[in-house]
Amino acid sequence: MGNPLWAPWRMEYILGPKDRGDCIFCGIPDAEEEEQRSRLVVAKTPRAFVMMNRYPFAAGHLLVVPHTHTSALHELSLAEHDALFRLVREAATRLQRAVKAEGLNVGLNLGAVAGAGVAAHLHVHIVPRWAGDTNFMPVLADTRVIPQALEATRDHLAGFFQDLPSDDGSLGS
Ligand SMILES: [Zn+2]
């Protein structure tokens, strides 16, 4: 692929929160179901959740977010860390199936200098890739300007997370 994936100019889309109260992720786990849907949450476990990126690199660009507000991986407890990456694994598999992706980019931007739009609350990006998609912007042009398209995509994706294992590996949400 020729284009850089984590383009710093995209930071203008998201204002970095100054504290937990401003954090776009922190209120989500406790929000009402309808609110979660409108904020494009796809799935939730006791310690982490999956949501769509409202400003995606590609249709189906997901964020996997720990409930805990922290900017550093080592500040997650081992249980939180484990739950986060279990959910990354599940999300990667399910997203690939849901959008028939031929590949995925999975990664973290830790710190604003690394390109994190919301540096204070770490999150894992999962971006679906298809052969010939090197120019991202046209791919997502429609979904970015039409909120209904985002919600429809969210509903489609959520269907692939119905039988998500909980943090302890057993079935159920
Ligand atoms: Zn937060």
Side-chain angles (χ1 to χ4, degrees):
M1 70 190 214
N3 289 10
L5 186 56
W6 318 119
W9 47 263
R10 292 191 65 264
M11 282 194 291
E12 73 193 39
Y13 289 127
I14 305 171
L15 298 176
K18 289 169 190 64
D19 59 42
R20 199 168 304 212
D22 298 327
C23 182
I24 64 165
F25 297 132
C26 273
I28 288 180
D30 296 327
E32 298 292 331
E33 197 166 319
E34 200 45 42
E35 161 94 10
Q36 290 189 8
R37 182 170 177 271
S38 71
R39 295 180 72 172
L40 307 177
V41 174
V42 172
K44 194 178 79 167
T45 69
R47 291 194 173 96
F49 60 93
V50 182
M51 68 187 295
M52 289 174 58
N53 189 339
R54 197 170 281 280
Y55 305 101
F57 289 111
H61 178 169
L62 296 182
L63 305 175
V64 186
V65 188
H67 291 195
T68 298
H69 181 94
T70 180
S71 60
L73 282 171
H74 70 264
E75 288 176 1
L76 293 174
S77 70
L78 287 180
E80 289 166 340
H81 179 275
D82 190 45
L84 175 65
F85 284 95
R86 277 174 187 266
L87 190 54
V88 168
R89 183 173 69 175
E90 291 291 337
T93 305
R94 289 154 195 269
L95 176 63
Q96 192 150 19
R97 206 183 304 149
V99 302
K100 299 181 170 54
E102 296 170 292
L104 300 169
N105 287 109
V106 180
L108 289 131
N109 299 323
L110 295 173
V113 295
V118 183
H121 194 141
L122 69 83
H123 48 282
V124 180
H125 293 262
I126 305 180
V127 182
R129 303 298 303 271
W130 300 268
D133 70 354
T134 49
N135 190 347
F136 289 112
M137 301 312 286
V139 173
L140 59 87
D142 290 336
T143 55
R144 200 159 50 111
V145 295
I146 305 172
Q148 294 90 326
L150 281 174
E151 293 205 3
T153 305
R154 179 260 164 218
D155 291 346
H156 171 71
L157 294 176
F160 285 80
F161 285 78
Q162 291 299 318
D163 60 341
L164 191 66
S166 67
D167 282 354
D168 62 7
S170 61
L171 286 175
S173 61

